[in-house]
Amino acid sequence: MKIDYDARYFSPKDVLECGQIFRFEEFERGYKVFSADRACYVYTEGKKTFIECDDGDYFYNFFDLGRDYAAINESAKAFGVPLLARGAKLGAGIRLLNQDAEEMIFSFIVSQNNNIPRIKRIIGRMCEKLGQEREFMGQIYHTFPKACDIAARDAAFFKALGAGYRDAYLVATADRIAKEGIERLYGLPTPQLKRELTTYTGVGPKVADCISLFGFGRRESFPVDTWIEKIYREDFGGTLKDRNKINAYFCGLFGENAGYMQQYLFYAKREGM
């Protein structure tokens, strides 16, 4: 199946390389993208971005194609914040993905105090060792492992994959999810969801915000990392030191669209705009 979309509001490079997803690789004219137990090929030609996949419904939702990003983009420019306006203008092709929540929990546990190339390698090894083998466009890939498959291994197994001190976090959280599931989390209000996520081993406030935003579709979430702290001080004149208070400031400022604004700000600062 092939899906097409206006490339002005769908740049595969900007969507995939902004830190919200770790399972993708360059392929031909674009990228292969992997989510849970599915795969797609995404690329831009002329004024259109195309998705080739076997499950159109899944990737239509995954890339959030039912949402009006032109309106979100214009709302970002209307705040009157120069950095945000520049990010919205030049990063208009950024989209927030609707990813598998369980995969996001484990992925962002791996991500803490880590860099993207290393995160991708660790997660890739987890998939190769514990995921199921599948084929897409004539090539083999591996699905993301289930919590029960992760829980069946000990910490030493994940340390050997490069997870470092996160090894124990992965095992403890996998064991809990394998026993409890995560279905109860979906219906929680966002503040309660964040609090509940922080009760999982290895999940702090920033990681919980990332999981909420990218795994549960809570667009009012606003992860605060060192980049956002820098933006807060340099572009908003902020004086707060506590990340939880900085998070509350931005959530209060941007409301239900906070997650989109976070991505535009991050993009602009990272690109030196």
Side-chain angles (χ1 to χ4, degrees):
M1 181 176 186
K2 182 183 282 190
I3 303 168
D4 66 82
Y5 197 85
D6 184 350
R8 289 178 299 174
Y9 299 105
F10 188 178
S11 164
K13 183 179 188 298
D14 290 341
V15 170
L16 299 174
E17 296 185 5
C18 67
Q20 62 177 317
I21 183 173
F22 307 108
R23 293 178 65 216
F24 65 93
E25 61 187 41
E26 292 186 10
F27 178 74
E28 294 183 354
R29 293 163 289 172
Y31 302 84
K32 278 186 179 177
V33 180
F34 308 97
S35 175
D37 59 355
R38 297 171 176 85
C40 75
Y41 170 41
V42 59
Y43 59 95
T44 297
E45 281 188 351
K47 296 182 179 180
K48 294 285 187 179
T49 292
F50 296 92
I51 305 164
E52 295 184 18
C53 60
D54 295 326
D55 191 337
D57 290 341
Y58 183 86
F59 283 105
Y60 185 90
N61 176 67
F62 179 83
F63 287 109
D64 208 27
L65 300 186
R67 199 180 303 270
D68 183 1
Y69 274 74
I72 294 168
N73 196 261
E74 288 304 313
S75 72
K77 298 172 186 174
F79 274 100
V81 177
L83 184 72
L84 180 58
R86 292 195 297 274
K89 179 180 179 180
L90 298 174
I94 295 172
R95 308 183 71 80
L96 289 178
L97 302 174
N98 294 310
Q99 302 186 69
D100 180 81
E102 192 170 300
E103 180 174 341
M104 289 299 94
I105 291 172
F106 294 114
S107 294
F108 278 97
I109 286 176
V110 170
S111 79
Q112 58 185 295
N113 299 315
N114 217 338
N115 60 68
I116 289 179
R118 189 163 181 266
I119 296 164
K120 292 180 68 175
R121 288 195 297 270
I122 296 167
I123 293 173
R125 292 175 192 133
M126 288 174 61
C127 294
E128 289 171 11
K129 297 292 186 181
L130 302 175
Q132 297 179 355
E133 194 173 279
R134 298 282 174 86
E135 183 178 322
F136 177 68
M137 298 186 75
Q139 294 183 2
I140 298 298
Y141 73 97
H142 293 83
T143 64
F144 195 87
K146 299 294 185 183
C148 58
D149 298 316
I150 297 173
R153 304 294 182 135
D154 62 13
F157 175 85
F158 296 101
K159 188 175 290 293
L161 298 185
Y165 70 89
R166 307 163 195 84
D167 57 355
Y169 299 166
L170 291 168
V171 173
T173 292
D175 184 64
R176 178 177 171 185
I177 292 176
K179 291 174 181 175
E180 300 177 355
I182 60 170
E183 290 75 15
R184 63 191 172 79
L185 300 177
Y186 289 94
L188 298 177
T190 299
Q192 188 177 345
L193 171 63
K194 180 177 179 178
R195 287 195 298 271
E196 185 63 21
L197 285 170
T198 60
T199 68
Y200 288 83
T201 305
V203 178
K206 183 258 184 176
V207 168
D209 278 322
C210 289
I211 296 167
S212 298
L213 181 58
F214 306 129
F216 288 89
R218 305 304 176 88
R219 302 318 198 205
E220 63 272 35
S221 299
F222 194 100
V224 176
D225 61 5
T226 54
W227 280 97
I228 295 298
E229 284 187 294
K230 182 179 176 68
I231 289 167
Y232 171 72
R233 292 192 305 270
E234 296 181 356
D235 298 278
F236 289 82
T239 58
L240 296 171
K241 303 296 184 183
D242 186 290
R243 282 191 176 184
N244 291 321
K245 292 181 179 179
I246 295 172
N247 166 266
Y249 167 79
F250 280 118
C251 287
L253 180 63
F254 296 129
E256 64 181 7
N257 285 340
Y260 304 105
M261 305 305 127
Q262 194 262 10
Q263 287 293 292
Y264 290 140
L265 288 167
F266 179 80
Y267 180 86
K269 201 69 168 180
R270 185 189 64 184
E271 298 298 321
M273 297 174 181

